[in-house]
Structures are given as C-alpha cells and as structure tokens.
Amino acid sequence: MENGITPVRVRFAPSPTGHMHLGSARTALYDYLLAKKTGGKFILRIEDTDQKRYVEGAEQELIEGLRWLGVDFDEGPDIGGPFGPYRQSERKGIYLKYAEQLVESGHAYYCFCTPERLTKVREEQQRRKEAPHYDGNCRNIRIEEARQRIEKGEKHVIRFKTPKEGTTTVKDLLRGEITVENRTLDDYILVKSDGWALYHLAAMVDDHLMKITHVIRGSEWLPSLPLHSLIMQAFNWPEPVWVHLSVFLKPSGKGKMSKREKDELLKDGYSIFIKDLKDLGYLPEAVVNWVSLMGWSFDDHTEFFTLSDLIDKFSLEQLNPSPAAINFSKLDHFNGLHIRNLTDEELARRITPFFTAKGIKTDAEKMKKIAPILKERIATLDESVEMAGFFFKDKVLPAVEELVPKGLTPAQAREILLESHIILSAVGNFSHKEAEEPMRAYVESSGFSAGQVFGVLRVAITGQKVSPPLFESMEIIGKEVVLQRLQQSIRLIDQE
RNA sequence: GCCCCCAUCGUCUAGCGGCCCAGGACGUGGCCCUCUCAAGGCCAAAACAGGGAUUCGAAUUCCCUUGGGGGCACCA
C-alpha cells in the first residue's frame, strides 16, 4: 500500500526454462515501474533450482528481452549487487541451512517415502475421489530417529509441517483477504532428495534475504500463497505485500495459449514471445504500452504512454484482477502510434536492419528521406521493406498486366508513359512540387483520371501497385532513374 | 473430484451508491479527405451474465446460480 512514497524492492524471478513471453514482460514491467516510481530497486533473480528443466540460453534471452523493452534492472546475475548471488543455483547451501532451521523449530520434518510409494498413495486417493495429497506417513518420526536414518544414508526430503487445523488468511493487494482451511493444504516438499530446494522454500528465503517489499507475480501462484505465508510465519519473517496479477488468455478469451495456438499465431505474424515480436517489426515502446494496459489502466481515456509516462502514472491501485484476452490488433495500433512518434532519423535507423535482413543494401541518407513518407503507412517495421524496397533496387520489374490497368488499353497506357516522359524530362528542379504541377495539368488535358495516370506511373516507377506517394517517391529516386524506368515500361508494353 | 480466483460492448477497459437509459480505445460498418496504400476527421452499431437481498436510490454492497480461469509434482 505504501506505494509512491517508500522506495520498494521488487524482484522479477523467472525460471530459465523457455522463451520470455508477454506475461513475463508485463510482470517485469510493473516491477520496474513501481521501483522507478518509488525510487526503489528492481531485481532480476534467476530461479534455476530445477536442473532438469534448465534451457541453455534462456537466461540470456530473458536479459536481452528486458533490455530491449527498456526494463532495466538494478541488481541481477550479470551485474551483481549487494544481495547476490542472483542465481538460485548458486545459493543451494543457503536454502538447506534454512530448511534445517525449520526442522529444528518443528515447522518441517524429514520424510523417507519413496516416489513409488507416493505414486501409489496418490493413485489410491484418486480412486477414492480424494484430492491427492501427502498422507503424513513420516510426519511424526522423531527427529533423533530421522537423523539416524539419514546418517545411514537413507534418501530423504524435507517437508513443511502444515497445520492440520484452523485456517490461514493472507491478503492480496488486488483481492483482499483470502482464507483457506489448512486441511486443504499439503505437507509440501521444501528440499528434494538431491538436496536442492524447491521454489516454495527458495523464493521465500531469497525474498526475505533480498529484502523484497512487494512480490508481484502471476495469479497461478495464488493457490500456494497460504503456504508461502505459512513459511514466512514459521521463520518469523515479515511478509511482503502480495500482488497477484491476472493471467493472459488467448485472443478469443477462452482459455490460455496452447502450443498449437502459438504456432497458429505466428502464421498471422503475431507471437507471444518477446524475441519474435522484435523480429516481427514491433517497437519495444509499443509492446510496453500495449502490455501495460492489459490489467492496468490510467483513466477513462488516456492510452498512449511512453515508458517515462508510465513511471509517472503507474500505481498498484489501478490494477485489475480479472483475466485479460490478448488483443493483437491493438498491438498493431500501438505500434503505428509509436512509429509515428519516432523522429525521421530514428525511424530510418530502426527499419534499416529489416532491409539488410532481406539482402537489400541501403544508404543512410536516402533512408532518412524515405522515413517520413513511410511513417504513416506501416504498422510494423518489417512492412517497410515491402513498401520501400524499390528505392534501393537497381531494377524494378513491373508486370505488364499491372502497367495496363483495367479500363485502359495498352496503347493508352503507353501514351500516358510517353507523355509523362516528355513532361518530366522538361522539369528542371526535380522536386515533388515541380514535377507534380505539370503532371496535374496533363491529367486535366488528357481526359484520363488522376487515378489512371498516376496509377500507371506508380507501377512503372516503383514496380508496385501500392507505394508511398508518387511524387515524393520520384523526388527521392531522382529524375534520371525515373525517366529510365518510364522508358523501360514503354518497352515492356511494346514487347507484348 | 477438491481448493482458490474472476465476471461492464467481440476484445482491452473507465466506473469505487445518485454525475450512467454506462465513458474511452482496438476491431467492425458508413461518410469525408485522396495518385495507390495508409494516416487523419466525422458518424454508427455494440455491454453492466442471471436471480434474490440491502437501500429513497445499485454496474457499483451482500448472498446464490451460471459461466470462465488458475491450482492440486522430489516444476516454477
């Protein structure tokens, strides 16, 4: 609640098990905004206690994703900080120590049940239509006996001794108090038989040690919130402010994104993965703006925000607890807005890699001239290649059937091209204004419509039916090349 | 099956008892502008899941139903 005044310490704690997606991006963003707003610290902590699920390169992708978005962290694995290390795999010993402390104080116990036995217990419970849970077999083994068995090398885990009676009430900032009956909770494992701590223990220990004041995470954690609260209580540690964000649903709003749907999305030029979004031509500014509004709002009409606007305006009180369907057409909209918010120089710089990726050599000067006429007609950066590739090609190859549009005969199209060639040849200063003026006069006298004349010219000069404004384009291409291309098109018609 | 959460236009949302026969945005449709495509401008259709209760008064509070989501691992 002490938002806006006291500096917070918040952490984004992903596990390096796959690609960074929109949900992570939003959580990290809110963390960052809250930290910046309060003059606090934003920490990146890698939750890699599960060796089996580790994915090579995932941590790097996470860091790159955050940097790309502009969501910079103050402490983290690659930059260090006063509460490191920031990779849980490097903190193994710490967790074990705290787990044993819990055993000592009677809040946890050693359990010697084999995975086989547990599976059997669960199967039986399912058969009886009971909720699967640990049956408490080792709950009351005396600590001395347990120590002896461990000494003899018996495999064991450490379990939390969840109270069997009563209720646990925890407060979530968005939902208020949540109360559960303790008997519906399980004796969760804190430390595995290989000595690695599980999330429930590791995260609580780290949050405490790293002096985390607000835990912002996805609502999939809500069911284990009582456990986490109980663990904190067992240690006698103060609890952070708990903030559970709503989940993202698939665009239809029915259920969450499945593997198959992710593939389908990519076919439409969309993705929930941050690295894909970058390659698809989305601006980090737009992704930030868009994602910030899924579960948060400022007022009833303001929607365009830069990162610094968001730092200024963000507040936990305006978070919305209900699930949100991902709306990609709105991302396109925001991308357009942010593209138009870029300076010409900046836009030129951002679209250049997309040309390079398609094997098109660009030049910076020309690109700067193209940027302004491209700006309001692209929704994503990669569209600029399709729209403006012709500026950098030595040759364009207009299709004859496009050169001769419906309603015109080849002879008429030829006439337009020839007349235009004569008129444009006579233009001294080849600016779009000076070229357009005599061409307009020609349209008037020719009996053709502006659409017909300029349409033929567009195809002849750009090789495309859709392009940036004709005369601005011609100015950038230059008189010489324009005339060459007109001649080429006349030849093309003649050859038919 | 059990536990928890959520519920306003197709979608994201504003609304925190009277300002609401519900506002904005995306998308959709129409018109204007126009050399194509856009951008931009204007207009339109489009929602308080249902039922009780509280109250002079409910989208806003409470209960139930329904629907949706999440969770029930030696994963996070």
Side-chain angles (χ1 to χ4, degrees), chain A residues 204-419:
Chain A
M204 294 311 107
V205 169
D206 285 346
D207 285 345
H208 175 253
L209 260 24
M210 294 180 181
K211 298 196 181 333
I212 299 304
T213 61
H214 294 64
V215 170
I216 303 176
R217 54 178 8 178
S219 69
E220 64 270 21
W221 291 109
L222 226 32
S224 43
L225 177 58
L227 196 235
H228 296 162
S229 175
L230 252 14
I231 291 175
M232 289 296 209
Q233 286 174 34
F235 280 117
N236 226 313
W237 292 337
E239 286 181 52
V241 175
W242 303 105
V243 184
H244 291 86
L245 268 19
S246 63
V247 289
F248 284 165
L249 271 26
K250 61 186 173 187
S252 68
K254 303 252 180 270
K256 61 174 184 180
M257 209 60 81
S258 71
K259 171 80 182 77
R260 214 198 60 189
E261 274 144 353
K262 288 169 192 166
D263 297 341
E264 283 293 311
L265 258 185
L266 216 43
K267 281 187 208 143
D268 296 333
Y270 297 122
S271 175
I272 60 162
F273 298 122
I274 302 304
K275 71 166 177 55
D276 290 343
L277 257 18
K278 179 187 175 188
D279 297 339
L280 255 14
Y282 290 99
L283 261 38
E285 291 94 328
V287 175
V288 162
N289 193 162
W290 174 56
V291 102
S292 75
L293 257 9
M294 304 182 70
W296 174 84
S297 61
F298 176 63
D299 59 18
D300 65 349
H301 65 280
T302 319
E303 291 208 319
F304 182 88
F305 299 114
T306 63
L307 235 202
S308 71
D309 290 337
L310 288 171
I311 293 172
D312 188 42
K313 300 191 156 64
F314 183 75
S315 115
L316 293 175
E317 277 67 37
Q318 298 164 89
L319 252 23
N320 184 324
S322 47
I326 299 174
N327 184 190
F328 284 98
S329 60
K330 198 146 186 176
L331 171 60
D332 284 330
H333 172 249
F334 277 121
N335 212 48
L337 293 183
H338 281 93
I339 283 174
R340 274 168 258 135
N341 195 43
L342 256 29
T343 62
D344 295 342
E345 289 73 21
E346 186 57 21
L347 179 59
R349 199 178 66 72
R350 302 240 200 153
I351 58 181
T352 301
F354 289 88
F355 285 81
T356 313
K358 285 272 165 61
I360 298 173
K361 266 231 185 79
T362 58
D363 94 72
E365 270 313 298
K366 208 193 238 183
M367 197 60 101
K368 227 190 298 185
K369 289 184 197 154
I370 294 167
I373 59 172
L374 217 50
K375 206 181 248 181
E376 52 198 35
R377 57 201 88 234
I378 54 171
T380 56
L381 296 178
D382 67 315
E383 285 172 11
S384 56
V385 180
E386 197 185 342
M387 184 74 86
F390 69 89
F391 281 111
F392 302 101
K393 288 175 184 159
D394 293 333
K395 275 204 164 15
V396 295
L397 254 190
V400 178
E401 59 270 27
E402 287 180 359
L403 222 36
V404 184
K406 280 196 200 82
L408 286 183
T409 65
Q412 288 173 316
R414 191 185 191 284
E415 180 192 333
I416 289 170
L417 289 166
L418 193 61
E419 287 299 321

Side-chain angles (χ1 to χ4, degrees), chain A residues 468-485:
Chain A
L470 225 209
F471 293 101
E472 278 89 338
S473 299
M474 293 196 329
E475 180 181 326
I476 294 168
I477 292 173
K479 183 175 177 178
E480 197 184 335
V481 175
V482 166
L483 294 178
Q484 273 170 20
R485 290 186 180 177

Side-chain angles (χ1 to χ4, degrees), chain A residues 48 150 156 159 329 349:
Chain A
D48 55 351
I150 292 167
H156 64 281
R159 282 184 187 273
S329 60
R349 199 178 66 72

Side-chain angles (χ1 to χ4, degrees), chain A residues 85-224:
Chain A
Y86 293 92
R87 239 177 243 114
Q88 291 190 327
S89 57
E90 295 165 19
R91 303 169 66 82
K92 188 177 176 185
I94 299 174
Y95 309 129
L96 203 55
K97 195 187 100 198
Y98 280 99
E100 269 154 13
Q101 184 182 316
L102 245 28
V103 174
E104 208 63 48
S105 64
H107 292 285
Y109 60 93
Y110 295 106
C111 169
F112 302 91
C113 295
T114 62
E116 292 73 33
R117 188 183 108 75
L118 295 176
T119 315
K120 245 179 67 188
V121 169
R122 260 195 293 273
E123 277 167 5
E124 236 162 80
Q125 287 165 340
Q126 302 239 291
R127 204 169 312 128
R128 285 193 307 245
K129 296 238 196 279
E130 281 175 28
H133 64 279
Y134 181 60
D135 63 355
N137 193 251
C138 300
R139 201 178 212 251
N140 296 315
I141 294 175
R142 287 197 331 270
I143 194 160
E144 301 79 32
E145 185 193 332
R147 291 237 161 90
Q148 277 174 15
R149 291 171 70 174
I150 292 167
E151 201 109 340
K152 275 186 274 173
E154 215 176 312
K155 280 247 183 198
H156 64 281
V157 301
I158 298 177
R159 282 184 187 273
F160 191 65
K161 205 174 212 166
T162 307
K164 286 266 170 264
E165 321 251 285
T167 60
T168 297
T169 298
V170 201
K171 189 179 163 200
D172 173 80
L173 190 69
L174 310 191
R175 297 155 234 270
E177 291 189 341
I178 296 166
T179 300
V180 296
E181 308 251 1
N182 289 338
R183 63 180 164 75
T184 66
L185 267 23
D186 208 348
D187 280 4
Y188 300 92
I189 292 173
L190 263 21
V191 179
K192 293 187 273 184
S193 57
D194 61 7
W196 283 98
L198 247 27
Y199 175 90
H200 301 304
L201 205 230
M204 294 311 107
V205 169
D206 285 346
D207 285 345
H208 175 253
L209 260 24
M210 294 180 181
K211 298 196 181 333
I212 299 304
T213 61
H214 294 64
V215 170
I216 303 176
R217 54 178 8 178
S219 69
E220 64 270 21
W221 291 109
L222 226 32
S224 43

